[in-house]
Amino acid sequence: MPRVPAKSSAGRSSAEKPPRPDPRALLSWYDRSRRDLPWRAAPGERADPYSVWLSEIMLQQTTVEAVKPYFHAFLARWPSVAALAAAPLEEVMKAWAGLGYYARARNLHACAQQVAFERGGIFPREEGDLLSLPGVGPYTAAAVAAIAFDAPCVAVDGNVERVVARLFAIDRPIREAKRDLREQAQTLLPAARSGDFTQALMDLGATVCTPRAPRCDLCPLAPACAAALRGETERFPVKAQKLDKPLRRGAAFVVTSGGAALLRTRPPRGLLGGMSEFPSTPFRVDFDPSRARAHAPMAARWKELPGAVEHVFTHFSLRLTIFAATLPAPPPYIENGRWTPLARLSEEGLPTLMRKVAIRAGLIVE
Ligand code: SF4
């Protein structure tokens, strides 16, 4: 039986080489269909580098919807990079609480101080210079350079990777093809409007070229999309083999006395660095919950609460056993500890994991 080349909705066969994607078509689509985001400049206006940088740091590993309230709150409280640089780190960390990946908040503050105190409050325009700032990696440098300064570069986030993988039918999982994807994206760049182009690719990935059921009928790049022309949009990006996250365990100790709870501050570096916590053990794969009491911050009648707290970090899952105790009077001194009135726990800027612990212990309501 003769083999028939696959037909796409556009009626082309997979044997035909797709034409080059037309960046002008994408820009026209963007002018009609761009998302209205609080950190974006209005059409024809220049973007504010501070807003672009702030939003891009917040958007690392975080959704647009989760970022919006934090972006508004930060901008209202610290409307310029100089204001953010002058703020105490502790206040910035508290304002960041709940957004996760807390190293970003420390780097955000360090970066603001570098820009404000060493660069006269002016963000560098070049991708290479931006890369030298704390917390600014290749993606963020490209995004700020392109969006704030129209530098000729494309910021390749997860949405853009998906679009490019489909456009060029890249036959490897994204994590193996990152360099290729960046290079292919760069070949699409038009001579002008780099910032709009990068945001157009992001918007296309977020609203049209979605992970499931992409709306190729609405896509300005469909005539040049290899995956669509082959009728194989769902096959791209090629799925990587799933690696299970390792499970770590640990314990947290919730002790209350006279209407206050014992908290401490985690070391500045590492997981949840600088954030408030209920005294906790290290989180380890080989942690033995039956020996957890040996890590308690003081002698007390510790009671294990039913049901562990589960939390997922980027590289591991955590199961935290919770122990609770009530003391008739607080000890006069506990190294690195402080007693926080229960009514003020919500002002402590607890990270999400510790909020879950507080909820499980009945100290705050969900
Ligand atoms: S044609 Fe379809 S698969 Fe290709 S880029 Fe557009 S939305 Fe994505």
Side-chain angles (χ1 to χ4, degrees), residues 251-255 262 264 279-281 287 291-302 323 325 334:
F253 298 89
V254 179
V255 56
L262 180 67
R264 67 183 185 190
S280 305
T281 65
F287 180 81
R291 293 169 183 256
R293 283 182 175 81
H295 297 268
M298 67 194 65
R301 299 179 70 167
W302 293 105
F323 292 88
I334 294 178

Side-chain angles (χ1 to χ4, degrees), residues 153-215:
C153 45
V154 183
V156 181
D157 66 1
N159 283 325
V160 176
E161 284 176 339
R162 183 172 58 255
V163 172
V164 175
R166 285 174 173 163
L167 273 179
F168 297 98
I170 290 179
D171 230 338
R172 282 169 296 146
I174 281 179
R175 69 165 179 249
E176 292 170 24
K178 286 199 173 277
R179 188 168 171 184
D180 199 10
L181 289 163
R182 271 202 310 277
E183 287 173 2
Q184 292 284 14
Q186 193 71 21
T187 66
L188 301 173
L189 202 60
R193 298 185 67 190
S194 311
D196 284 347
F197 183 77
T198 247
Q199 292 176 99
L201 273 178
M202 292 173 179
D203 282 14
L204 190 75
T207 62
V208 173
C209 193
T210 45
R212 292 193 180 171
R215 296 294 311 271

Side-chain angles (χ1 to χ4, degrees), residues 308-319:
V309 163
E310 311 266 349
H311 193 72
V312 179
F313 291 100
T314 327
H315 301 301
F316 65 93
S317 303
L318 177 66
R319 187 169 298 152

Side-chain angles (χ1 to χ4, degrees), residues 5 40 48 59 136 170 182 189 242 254 296 318 345 354 364:
R40 264 192 190 163
D48 166 35
L59 286 163
V136 175
I170 290 179
R182 271 202 310 277
L189 202 60
K242 266 218 162 128
V254 179
L318 177 66
L345 261 189
M354 291 299 154
I364 56 178

Side-chain angles (χ1 to χ4, degrees), residues 162-164 166-167 204 208-210 214-229 232-234 236:
R162 183 172 58 255
V163 172
V164 175
R166 285 174 173 163
L167 273 179
L204 190 75
V208 173
C209 193
T210 45
R215 296 294 311 271
C216 304
D217 53 326
L218 302 177
C219 179
L221 301 180
C225 177
L229 294 172
E232 293 184 333
T233 54
E234 297 281 355
F236 297 96

